[in-house]
Amino acid sequence: QVQLVESGGGLVQAGGSLRLSCAASGRTFSSYAMGWFRQAPGKEREFVAAIFVAAITGTGGSTYYADSVKGRFTISRDNAKNTVYLQMNSLKPEDTAIYYCARSPRGTLGVVTTPLAYEYWGQGTQVTVSS
C-alpha cells in the first residue's frame, strides 16, 4: 500500500513563498515519476509540475511545468527521504487551491498533464494566497 502525505500548505500574501512536501511510503520511491496537481473550488484538477526518475543515479530527473507556474515553481525530489517537493515563489491569488501530489506507475511518462497517468494520490494540502 502506497501512501502519500502532503504538508507545507498555508496562508501567504501575494508575492510570498511556500514549500510543499510529499512524503511517500514504500522502498522504491526512486523508480517512479511524481507529480503535483491542484484543484480550486468549482474547477477541475489541473497539472502543476512533474519530475521523472533520473537517467543517471545521483542526477536529477527531467522536470515539467504548467505554463501558469513556469519560472515561479520548482519541483524536486530527495530519493533518500522518499520525498518530493514543490517550491512555490511569487505566489498569486490565482494559485489558491488544494495541492495534491501523485505517483505514477512508471519512471517516465508520455503525457504528464493528465491525472489518469498517476495511480496514487495524497489527501491534499490547502494553499491560500491573499491579495
Side-chain angles (χ1 to χ4, degrees):
Q1 181 89 16
V2 174
Q3 289 188 324
L4 303 175
V5 180
E6 301 98 334
S7 62
L11 173 65
V12 64
Q13 289 188 331
S17 299
L18 284 174
R19 187 175 84 152
L20 305 183
S21 300
C22 173
S25 64
R27 295 179 296 174
T28 57
F29 172 80
S30 61
S31 299
Y32 302 102
M34 300 293 295
W36 284 97
F37 286 73
R38 66 187 181 187
Q39 188 166 16
K43 295 188 177 181
E44 293 185 352
R45 190 167 299 191
E46 66 172 358
F47 170 75
V48 175
I51 185 167
F52 289 178
V53 299
I56 300 174
T57 301
T59 64
S62 297
T63 56
Y64 303 85
Y65 298 93
D67 288 343
S68 59
V69 307
K70 202 170 293 183
R72 300 188 297 123
F73 291 10
T74 302
I75 188 172
S76 62
R77 64 192 301 161
D78 185 336
N79 292 331
K81 296 182 178 180
N82 278 18
T83 301
V84 63
Y85 302 98
L86 185 68
Q87 178 66 44
M88 306 186 295
N89 299 328
S90 302
L91 283 161
K92 305 175 181 179
E94 51 264 43
D95 293 319
T96 295
I98 299 175
Y99 283 69
Y100 299 90
C101 75
R103 200 204 81 173
S104 83
R106 296 182 294 277
T108 62
L109 297 169
V111 177
V112 303
T113 58
T114 172
L116 298 176
Y118 301 83
E119 63 177 344
Y120 295 103
W121 293 82
Q123 82 290 348
T125 185
Q126 176 71 47
V127 172
T128 303
V129 184
S130 63
S131 57

